[in-house]
Amino acid sequence: ESKIVAVEAQKVRVHFMGWSEKFDEWKERSSTQLQPFHSQVTPWRDLEKDDTLEISDRAYSKEEKVTWFGGTVIKVRAGNSNNASAEERIFPDKEVLVSCSRGETWVAVESELICAMGTHTKARPSRQFTSHVRDETRSESLRGGWGGSGRAGSSVANGSVGLNNLGNTCFMNSMLQCLTHTQPLTEFFLDGKYRSDLNKDNVLGTGGKLTESYAQLVSEYWSGKF
């Protein structure tokens, strides 16, 4: 999870929630790493009783060194925020009473004093959170078998799509998806810079056809459609 904390003409400063400011990064506004909120991260903050999470010791004191503990939600109550309507809110308007080895304390679900289990520790959450939009898309794809569902539409966010498995192409598809999410390489193709490096005269090559095909794949992959 992240949020924009500063803006410039061509760049924005990204703060990663639950992490120190020293990990903030400046990103180009056109960067493919900038995606709609919770389109790539599970929306886990709609917490319920008995859910597990990580909580910072700064929820209990103002110690300089930050330590994270595994905690459990033992109570849930309505929040006190009146700054936004239900439609405008990003997080649920509620607070949770968290119990851990440091004791019990109330925390707003939007607070950076809590993180999803497994963010800073090796523990796993007590239940799996899902995004209804992405689950629906996945189930439709699975019903389509190896060839996929064959339907077209818009992805939740640019780049949040998969590749149909044509029988035994699963390993190739995994490799291609890793490559398409390698930012410098993907931007090299999306910007068309690869064309100046094409070698169409090498008798041992493909005349640039392989590279052109990959460029087309990258373009369609990040088009926001499927």
Side-chain angles (χ1 to χ4, degrees), residues 48-97:
E48 300 174 358
K49 185 177 181 297
D50 296 326
D51 281 342
T52 55
L53 47 69
E54 294 180 0
I55 185 167
S56 168
D57 55 359
R58 290 195 174 180
Y60 301 89
S61 66
K62 301 299 181 181
E63 297 178 10
E64 181 176 349
K65 183 179 179 180
V66 179
T67 304
W68 292 86
F69 300 88
T72 303
V73 176
I74 57 177
K75 287 184 180 180
V76 181
R77 70 184 182 190
N80 299 315
S81 175
N82 298 314
N83 297 330
S85 65
E87 292 78 14
E88 295 172 326
R89 289 189 60 82
I90 297 177
F91 302 115
D93 185 17
K94 59 184 179 182
E95 299 176 347
V96 292
L97 180 62

Side-chain angles (χ1 to χ4, degrees), residues 66-199:
V66 179
T67 304
W68 292 86
F69 300 88
T72 303
V73 176
I74 57 177
K75 287 184 180 180
V76 181
R77 70 184 182 190
N80 299 315
S81 175
N82 298 314
N83 297 330
S85 65
E87 292 78 14
E88 295 172 326
R89 289 189 60 82
I90 297 177
F91 302 115
D93 185 17
K94 59 184 179 182
E95 299 176 347
V96 292
L97 180 62
V98 180
S99 174
C100 78
S101 59
R102 289 294 302 269
E104 299 178 359
T105 187
W106 285 97
V107 185
V109 296
E110 63 207 57
S111 172
E112 291 195 53
L113 296 175
I114 58 174
C115 283
M117 188 67 85
T119 303
H120 300 278
T121 68
K122 296 182 179 180
R124 294 182 177 273
S126 57
R127 69 182 174 104
Q128 296 297 318
F129 296 84
T130 59
S131 168
H132 300 297
V133 174
R134 297 177 71 184
D135 281 356
E136 179 182 350
T137 302
R138 182 174 183 271
S139 62
E140 287 288 340
S141 177
L142 289 176
R143 282 196 289 271
W146 279 350
S149 65
R151 66 191 182 96
S154 299
S155 58
V156 177
N158 291 353
S160 62
V161 294
L163 298 173
N164 287 335
N165 181 20
L166 305 177
N168 61 350
T169 62
C170 51
F171 286 102
M172 181 183 72
N173 287 352
S174 298
M175 176 272 293
L176 288 173
Q177 289 183 82
C178 289
L179 285 177
T180 55
H181 284 274
T182 304
Q183 184 187 7
L185 179 63
T186 292
E187 292 180 350
F188 179 73
F189 278 91
L190 289 178
D191 294 339
K193 296 178 180 178
Y194 73 94
R195 294 190 180 94
S196 61
D197 291 324
L198 279 178
N199 184 351

Side-chain angles (χ1 to χ4, degrees), residues 1-13:
E1 290 176 314
S2 58
K3 59 184 178 181
I4 305 299
V5 294
V7 296
E8 291 185 353
Q10 302 297 327
K11 295 182 179 181
V12 294
R13 183 175 179 178

